[in-house]
Amino acid sequence: MDNLTENIPINRIKTSRISELDFDNMKFGRVFTDHIFVLDYFDGQWQNPRLQPQGELHFSPKISAIHYGQSIFEGLKAYKRIDSESIMLFRPKENARRFAESAKRMCMPPVPENIFMQAITQLVLLDKAWIPKGENQFLYIRPVLFATDDYIGIRPSDNYCFVVFACPLGEPYYKEYINVKVEKKYARACAGGTGTAKSAGNYAGALYPAKLAQEQGFDQLLWTDAKEHQYIEESGTMNVMFRIDDTLITAPIGSTVLSGITRDSVLNIARSYGITIEERYLSVNELREAAKEGRLKEVFGTGTAVGIQKIGSVTLDDKKYVIPVSDKELSFAIKLDKALKNIIAGQTNDINKWMLEL
Ligand code: PMP
């Protein structure tokens, strides 16, 4: 297995499509690099790694990923340093670890860390011309693992496919401030469920309530616990943090909240700044009281796609609480965002060794 990814065969694209890329206008998830990495799992083993042109992979409509949702994914970023040609990944081994945990929860064979790392490294190096070089620009990498048994009985698949592809990005995912609604009818995850896995079904289940909220003018939902809808969990594809007075409160990682890598990084930086952190459930009542009393100073989401995303208003039981815009000097979100970006750009000492150079 160790040798599996040592010499990955490359089927190069005949003519690169990079001239079609408008580096000044890169939309999320629309334009993909020239190649993809593919690895199959059959006869109980990972086999046949390859790099091939971006394009179709052919599967039967019977594959179990489609019917029963044995499908997981990850998201991470590669950056080109402004002042050199160095290519850096942000905490990729954390994605490898989470991918393996998601696989375990969905009864799939985990992709070994060395294979995950090689797949990403080889794809990014092959398509490095696609990595934009500029402030807030990066290559978004999407590893995905799905069940490919051509059989419609319900049981764990025997065959799987691991694919990695990537897209260059340069625009913010959302506008500067987003408006969110506390969701008290639908649930994203429940205790004992699959909320901590990055499994496809979690996202499918969230689409309908998110669509209803969007029709009401909201950008995202703040999910609450499935049982009582009293405790805030997370938001869309972000973990969420509340600053009440000078304390930063965020839901603990349990069986309903995804273990965000940005969340962990932001908490780590916040701790180093001496900010008081409480990893506990914030109740909707406490949120409402803090907002009414003017003690709710900031709300923001954290996630790979968004980085740190400021939340401008929270609507709770049809009452909209506008979060006052923080003074630039005093804002936790701005301070933490700057610190994180400086580490990524190599402008601060990366004491935690989060950046991996390829
Ligand atoms: N929660 C959910 C449900 C997500 O999909 C994501 C995105 N991976 C996050 C939180 C944030 O996690 P990360 O910081 O690792 O991107």
Side-chain angles (χ1 to χ4, degrees):
M1 184 123 69
D2 277 333
N3 298 330
L4 182 71
T5 48
E6 234 160 54
N7 287 306
I8 303 174
I10 306 178
N11 173 9
R12 273 177 205 276
I13 196 163
K14 289 204 174 62
T15 315
S16 171
R17 292 175 291 103
I18 196 157
S19 59
E20 293 166 23
L21 178 65
D22 176 1
F23 276 97
D24 295 325
N25 187 20
M26 295 178 288
K27 298 245 180 296
F28 189 88
R30 298 269 172 219
V31 179
F32 299 93
T33 69
D34 283 331
H35 299 92
I36 59 174
F37 171 89
V38 188
L39 177 67
D40 301 316
Y41 183 91
F42 55 93
D43 295 339
Q45 281 183 41
W46 295 103
Q47 311 197 34
N48 194 15
R50 58 210 186 265
L51 285 151
Q52 64 184 57
Q54 181 77 245
E56 286 122 58
L57 287 170
H58 295 279
F59 297 101
S60 148
K62 294 173 236 101
I63 62 171
S64 27
I66 299 175
H67 298 263
Y68 311 120
Q70 262 195 308
S71 178
I72 58 168
F73 66 97
E74 267 304 323
L76 68 159
K77 290 170 170 175
Y79 301 85
K80 226 177 233 173
R81 286 270 153 91
I82 302 275
D83 50 1
S84 71
E85 282 308 300
S86 303
I87 297 167
M88 317 294 296
L89 295 176
F90 181 71
R91 306 190 73 182
K93 290 191 178 170
E94 291 301 312
N95 295 91
R97 178 193 54 75
R98 191 169 64 189
F99 201 50
E101 278 168 17
S102 298
K104 197 167 148 207
R105 179 65 184 83
M106 303 313 289
C107 209
M108 304 163 93
V111 175
E113 182 187 295
N114 63 323
I115 296 182
F116 183 93
M117 293 300 295
Q118 272 306 313
I120 286 167
T121 305
Q122 298 309 325
L123 178 70
V124 170
L125 290 178
L126 182 62
D127 282 347
K128 66 180 178 199
W130 289 80
I131 313 174
K133 189 175 192 168
E135 211 181 321
N136 302 332
Q137 299 201 335
F138 52 85
L139 189 73
Y140 179 82
I141 306 159
R142 170 58 62 91
V144 56
L145 173 67
F146 52 96
T148 56
D149 268 14
D150 197 10
Y151 166 71
I152 57 159
I154 301 187
R155 57 149 173 75
S157 188
D158 289 328
N159 301 284
Y160 295 87
C161 185
F162 172 45
V163 180
V164 185
F165 55 87
C167 55
L169 273 180
E171 64 171 23
Y173 197 77
Y174 290 122
K175 56 197 178 210
E176 191 179 357
Y177 287 90
I178 60 167
N179 300 306
V180 301
K181 175 191 145 181
V182 177
E183 176 59 58
K184 293 181 81 179
K185 179 175 178 191
Y186 296 99
R188 187 194 86 93
C190 63
T194 58
T196 42
K198 259 186 96 72
S199 55
N202 289 344
Y203 298 85
L207 291 175
Y208 180 64
K211 178 171 167 272
L212 294 180
Q214 277 154 16
E215 283 165 4
Q216 297 164 9
F218 300 103
D219 298 292
Q220 261 306 341
L221 291 170
L222 280 188
W223 296 108
T224 51
D225 67 285
K227 201 170 167 203
E228 299 173 89
H229 295 294
Q230 283 306 312
Y231 298 96
I232 310 279
E233 299 197 324
E234 58 183 313
S235 178
T237 56
M238 310 182 289
N239 294 104
V240 64
M241 303 196 179
F242 301 87
R243 174 182 178 185
I244 296 185
D245 296 322
D246 282 335
T247 300
L248 203 54
I249 303 168
T250 191
I253 301 302
S255 64
T256 55
V257 175
L258 192 85
S259 165
I261 298 162
T262 321
R263 172 192 183 278
D264 180 73
S265 312
V266 166
L267 290 182
N268 187 304
I269 298 169
R271 254 179 226 117
S272 76
Y273 283 149
I275 294 172
T276 307
I277 293 162
E278 291 179 6
E279 288 185 69
R280 65 168 174 90
Y281 287 108
L282 180 70
S283 73
V284 290
N285 293 337
E286 194 181 345
L287 176 67
R288 185 189 295 109
E289 290 313 307
K292 277 191 192 160
E293 291 162 9
R295 296 168 52 227
L296 180 63
K297 302 262 179 61
E298 289 179 72
V299 183
F300 53 89
T302 63
T304 297
V306 295
I308 291 182
Q309 172 63 51
K310 286 180 270 182
I311 293 176
S313 75
V314 175
T315 298
L316 176 55
D317 294 335
D318 295 328
K319 170 105 184 68
K320 181 174 181 177
Y321 298 96
V322 176
I323 323 285
V325 173
S326 273
D327 188 306
K328 271 208 169 77
E329 301 299 310
L330 302 176
S331 158
F332 281 5
I334 294 176
K335 194 172 170 178
L336 294 167
D337 187 47
K338 196 164 173 229
L340 187 59
K341 283 184 176 146
N342 282 344
I343 295 171
I344 290 168
Q347 284 155 1
T348 312
N349 196 1
D350 175 17
I351 43 172
N352 296 300
K353 305 221 177 326
W354 285 341
M355 304 309 294
L356 180 82
E357 181 163 5
L358 295 187

